[in-house]
């Protein structure tokens, strides 16, 4: 029987990616060596793209957890601080636009370019195949970055992750103008396997394409990775559904429910309310992740392993806040998951990886 082709897939979810890193740290402890030594492919969407790419390049889960704890505040400044409110007001006055994104994107840009995370490493420089999901808002089509394909290989990793992490309402979209990528679009606008009737074009006012968060199409990237690895070969050995093993990590399922009365009466201000966690984004992300979870499980049966903690209502966790209280709550949720059966699930995964 052919050896297993092992995929590590990570969902989107903002600062809730910290929860994922805590669980991955435990998995790494059980395996006894860095995670990139135990998987053949990595896949991520939004905050999951940061996790997947960092692990693929050899970063330990422990260091990645510390990255989220230490640098989260640079990505998600305190919405309640006077300095943030004042600067946000000034930006809106200067631009004459009251509906700017919630957070300035330069914080996320700087963090991703830090030498301790990605620096100037190119996407094609990752030692193993890595896949990241984004969305081209101009051409209305999903973009699946693949580190082993020429049109994506010369893009810096930080730009790939920035493109995948540009959550609507929270961050500005990212204009990707990498010459190799743009040239590939100009030379062959129909090259994508995604059969979109809208012909691919470059915006006339820009030499790049505007990309936003991949969570709008595939917050759980598992199915994209499964489809991609079926086209890969290890030496002369083909990959089939029978020998694919997927470890899929979510960023927490919220226990908060949207009531029947709310569904009947909520309008745009309710669905996009930051105090409620921007429910519209949560619904889209959860819905796409659950659908991909269902299809992946149907295809792979027991070879598809999903790790998704439940976030209790009393935790009041935010997707877009990195204050100490929120970070502590995320770690608590991850540890509760591990203590209430998750640890055993990871033991089973370790056995499957080694078998």
């Amino acid at each position: 029987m052919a050896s297993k082709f092992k995929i590590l897939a990570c969902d989107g979810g903002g600062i809730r990616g910290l929860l994922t890193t805590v669980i991955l740290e435990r998995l790494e402890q059980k395996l006894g060596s860095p995670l990139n030594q135990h998987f053949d492919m990595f896949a991520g969407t939004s905050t999951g793209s940061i996790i997947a790419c960092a692990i693929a390049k050899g970063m330990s889960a422990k260091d990645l957890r510390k990255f989220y704890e230490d640098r989260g505040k640079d990505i998600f400044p305190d919405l309640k601080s006077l300095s943030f409110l004042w600067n946000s007001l000034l930006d809106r006055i200067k631009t004459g636009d009251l509906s700017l994104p919630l957070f300035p994107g330069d914080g996320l840009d700087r963090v991703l370019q830090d030498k301790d995370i990605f620096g100037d490493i190119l996407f094609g420089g990752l030692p193993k195949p890595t896949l990241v999901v984004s969305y081209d808002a101009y051409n209305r089509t999903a973009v699946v970055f693949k580190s082993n394909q020429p049109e994506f290989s010369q893009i810096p990793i930080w730009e790939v992750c920035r493109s995948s992490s540009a959550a609507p309402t929270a961050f500005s979209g990212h204009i990707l103008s990498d010459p190799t990528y743009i040239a590939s679009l100009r030379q062959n606008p129909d090259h994508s396997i995604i059969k979109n009737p809208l012909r691919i074009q470059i915006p006339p006012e820009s030499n790049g394409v505007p990309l936003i968060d991949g969570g709008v199409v595939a917050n759980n990237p598992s199915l994209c990775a499964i489809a991609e690895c079926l086209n890969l070969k290890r030496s002369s050995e083909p990959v089939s559904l029978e020998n694919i093993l997927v470890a899929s990590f979510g960023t927490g399922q919220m226990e908060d429910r949207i009531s029947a009365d709310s569904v009947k009466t909520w309008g745009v201000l309710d669905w996009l309310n930051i105090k409620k966690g921007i429910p519209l984004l949560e619904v889209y992300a959860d819905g796409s992740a659950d659908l991909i979870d269902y299809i992946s499980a149907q295809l792979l049966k027991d070879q598809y392993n999903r790790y998704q903690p439940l976030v209790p209502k009393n935790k009041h966790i935010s997707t877009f806040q990195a204050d100490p209280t929120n970070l502590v709550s995320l770690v608590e949720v991850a540890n509760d998951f591990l203590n209430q059966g998750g640890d055993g699930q990871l033991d089973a995964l370790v056995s499957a990886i080694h078998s």
Side-chain angles (χ1 to χ4, degrees), residues 6 8 24 27-28 31-42 51-61 125-130 353:
K6 299 175 284 291
L8 176 66
L24 289 176
L27 174 61
E28 193 167 71
L31 289 167
S33 52
L35 292 174
N36 73 331
Q37 297 180 16
H38 299 278
F39 291 89
D40 302 295
M41 176 183 283
F42 302 89
I51 297 171
C53 288
I55 290 174
K57 83 178 185 74
M59 191 172 186
S60 72
L126 292 173
K128 290 185 178 179
T130 305
I353 288 173

Side-chain angles (χ1 to χ4, degrees), residues 217-223 287-297 304:
V217 286
N219 203 51
N220 175 351
S222 297
L223 193 59
S288 74
D290 289 346
L291 182 60
I292 288 172
D293 186 42
Y294 169 79
I295 298 172
S296 300
Y304 177 75

Side-chain angles (χ1 to χ4, degrees), residues 3-4 350-355:
S3 60
K4 293 187 180 72
V350 170
S351 295
I353 288 173
H354 288 320
S355 65

